[in-house]
Amino acid sequence: MSTQVSHPDGSKIVRPFEVTNRLMLSITIPVMLASLTTPLLGLVDTAVIGQLGDPHLLGGLAIGALVFDFLFSTMNFLRAGTTGLVAQAMGRHDNVEQQAVFWRAIGIAVLVGLVFIAVTPLVLTATVRFMNPDQAVADAMSTYVSIRLFSSPMALGNFVVLGLLLGQGKAMQGLYLQFLLNGVNVVMTCWLGLVMGWGVAGIAWGTVLGESVALVVGLTMVYWQFRAVPNPSLARILDMPAIRRMFAVNRDIMLRSFFLLIAYAYFTRAGTEAGAVTLATNAVLMNFLLISGYLIDGVTTAAEQISGRAVGAHYRPAFDRGIKLSFLWGLVLASLMALFFLIYGNAIVAVLIKSADVQAMAALYMPWAALAPVTGLLAFHMDGVFIGATWSRDMRNMMMLSLAGYFAAYFILPQFMGNHGLWLALHLFLGLRGLSLLAILPRRARLQFAS
């Protein structure tokens, strides 16, 4: 139950709501389970190719996955921006604006997806020139990317559907959709990649089928939800101030994501320059970092939804408590993951990869990958708070600052420490991201909730 309290001057309306551990976990657990299935796809893809025993195919898959990190993760603002804006509309009790946000985002998703398909040859050429892989790796990458780009409109549409559900706090529905998407993906990847013997092409087509099925089901769910409440007019959807705000938020989140992926791209590129074994090793270990990020994403999403709702409701106590509870739960998760990877990480690599050289090198660098959840926790957590509050410009600026620090370490440390220096540079980057956002949080909150 919530109440509405007007300030004496009538300029603000406060809509109190309670933030509890139950509310936090009702969002965190479903999102965590759903998110866990995504990096498991990477592990399944790696295992399918790993059974073929060719590091070149694994390298091609790693570079191909990086391409989609750039293309799709850069467009993650369609999920994150939608979540923040919908959560704020929910805090204001504005059901019509929630729908308007959804339709604006869907329009962007379709247009951008079609553009991605059209520029496939340019994407392949740019990737080969930047990564400079050997021919066998380049061929595997080209096959994977060419097929997967067909799913661009569906993948981006799924971002928007998920953003709407998470912004409304309907994490269980988001969980069902992600299970469906990734379940179809895993089954078809194994069947097409191994049983049918399609290899890299089978992995790519499995992803296309998963994205397509999930979007059809997701849009059906949204349709039935929208039938029960008033719909926005076309004029409301095309409201220019709202569109400009969405583009401003999305632009900054996109740039932030782009800068983040630049850091990961240079990390992968350094492995490419060091040889196929180092490239494969770092690619496998990066899956542990991605698993950590996706698991903590449950807490991050809870921070997004609660902070966004608190901003919309103009209710500072909920904002502060949401930050504290989400960080504490994140710390528990990050510590457990680090311990699990330290104990079982090498055994997991041995199951996934047949190459003895990759297994030996992975054991050497496993502590870096295992401790990444703890190092990156504050960055992941602050991302959720700032996305929910739509303080996207601050995220962009602090990411640029952190990237500058990363490159300073990237070009210096490996000269003295080799691949250990590369991993240390990555840890420094994660730490800088979290600390820089934390430093500006108090001032931004005071300005946001000023009477």
Side-chain angles (χ1 to χ4, degrees):
M1 184 177 72
S2 66
T3 60
Q4 296 187 10
V5 182
S6 296
H7 281 271
D9 62 1
S11 61
K12 300 286 186 181
I13 296 179
V14 180
R15 298 178 173 89
F17 65 96
E18 187 177 3
V19 177
T20 63
N21 282 307
R22 181 176 181 178
L23 173 62
M24 184 70 58
L25 294 177
S26 71
I27 301 172
T28 297
I29 293 176
V31 173
M32 182 178 68
L33 293 174
S35 298
L36 180 60
T37 63
T38 300
L40 285 179
L41 287 177
L43 291 176
V44 170
D45 291 350
T46 299
V48 169
I49 295 301
Q51 300 310 304
L52 303 179
D54 186 347
H56 294 92
L57 294 179
L58 184 59
L61 182 64
I63 295 175
L66 182 63
V67 170
F68 287 95
D69 283 340
F70 263 100
L71 295 179
F72 290 171
S73 296
T74 300
M75 299 302 296
N76 191 51
F77 67 78
L78 290 168
R79 203 285 300 164
T82 302
T83 296
L85 293 172
V86 167
Q88 291 182 21
M90 180 181 178
R92 296 191 302 271
H93 299 175
D94 190 345
N95 292 328
V96 175
E97 180 60 19
Q98 293 179 42
Q99 296 180 57
V101 169
F102 174 81
W103 291 118
R104 293 173 197 135
I106 278 289
I108 296 173
V110 173
L111 290 175
V112 173
L114 294 175
V115 170
F116 282 172
I117 294 174
V119 301
T120 297
L122 295 177
V123 171
L124 296 176
T125 300
T127 302
V128 171
R129 289 183 178 178
F130 178 75
M131 302 302 295
N132 194 30
D134 61 37
Q135 189 59 48
V137 172
D139 290 342
M141 179 277 298
S142 297
T143 298
Y144 180 77
V145 171
S146 297
I147 296 171
R148 269 205 65 186
L149 277 173
F150 283 115
S151 71
S152 296
M154 288 78 81
L156 300 181
N158 283 321
F159 285 1
V160 177
V161 173
L162 183 59
L164 172 73
L165 295 175
L166 295 180
Q168 295 173 327
K170 298 178 179 178
M172 284 302 299
Q173 293 186 26
L175 171 63
Y176 298 149
L177 278 180
Q178 289 301 105
F179 273 178
L180 175 65
L181 188 161
N182 295 325
V184 172
N185 195 336
V186 166
V187 171
M188 298 308 298
T189 289
C190 292
W191 184 56
L192 295 175
L194 286 179
V195 178
M196 299 299 293
W198 290 10
V200 172
I203 293 174
W205 280 115
T207 303
V208 171
L209 292 171
E211 296 283 4
S212 301
V213 171
L215 182 60
V216 170
V217 174
L219 289 176
T220 302
M221 292 170 59
V222 170
Y223 169 75
W224 284 105
Q225 178 190 142
F226 285 176
R227 286 190 64 188
V229 295
N231 296 318
S233 64
L234 182 61
R236 178 71 177 268
I237 295 173
L238 300 179
D239 178 65
M240 288 311 300
I243 290 176
R244 282 194 294 268
R245 185 189 179 207
M246 171 174 275
F247 271 104
V249 170
N250 289 345
R251 176 200 63 212
D252 292 332
I253 295 177
M254 181 181 69
L255 289 173
R256 166 258 179 198
S257 299
F258 179 72
F259 294 141
L260 173 63
L261 291 169
I262 285 177
Y264 290 158
Y266 271 87
F267 183 89
T268 302
R269 186 185 186 204
T272 303
E273 294 173 347
V277 174
T278 301
L279 171 63
T281 298
N282 285 349
V284 171
L285 293 181
M286 277 297 288
N287 279 310
F288 290 92
L289 174 60
L290 293 176
I291 289 173
S292 304
Y294 282 117
L295 278 172
I296 295 174
D297 192 49
V299 175
T300 300
T301 302
E304 284 180 33
Q305 203 277 337
I306 292 171
S307 62
R309 185 178 172 188
V311 167
H314 197 68
Y315 189 50
R316 178 70 184 268
F319 182 83
D320 291 340
R321 181 161 173 77
I323 290 176
K324 292 176 183 178
L325 286 182
S326 55
F327 180 78
L328 289 175
W329 282 108
L331 184 60
V332 171
L333 283 172
S335 301
L336 289 175
M337 282 186 286
L339 183 62
F340 178 82
F341 291 149
L342 284 171
I343 297 173
Y344 298 107
N346 292 333
I348 294 173
V349 172
V351 171
L352 295 174
I353 303 299
K354 290 183 177 180
S355 170
D357 291 339
V358 173
Q359 290 179 18
M361 184 174 286
L364 182 62
Y365 298 109
M366 180 60 69
W368 290 110
L371 294 175
V374 178
T375 305
L377 170 62
L378 186 59
F380 303 147
H381 177 248
M382 286 292 101
D383 279 350
V385 174
F386 278 68
I387 287 173
T390 59
W391 298 336
S392 54
R393 181 178 300 179
D394 295 317
M395 294 180 63
R396 178 200 66 192
N397 292 343
M398 294 305 101
M399 178 63 75
M400 292 173 65
L401 176 65
S402 302
L403 187 63
Y406 169 71
F407 277 130
Y410 176 92
F411 288 111
I412 295 174
L413 294 179
Q415 297 183 38
F416 302 97
M417 302 173 61
N419 203 44
H420 286 290
L422 182 64
W423 278 96
L424 177 56
L426 184 63
H427 276 256
L428 292 173
F429 173 62
L430 294 172
L432 281 173
R433 284 180 54 212
L435 292 173
S436 61
L437 290 172
L438 179 64
I440 64 175
L441 175 62
R443 180 175 180 274
R444 291 299 285 121
R446 284 196 302 270
L447 292 174
Q448 182 69 55
F449 293 97
S451 298

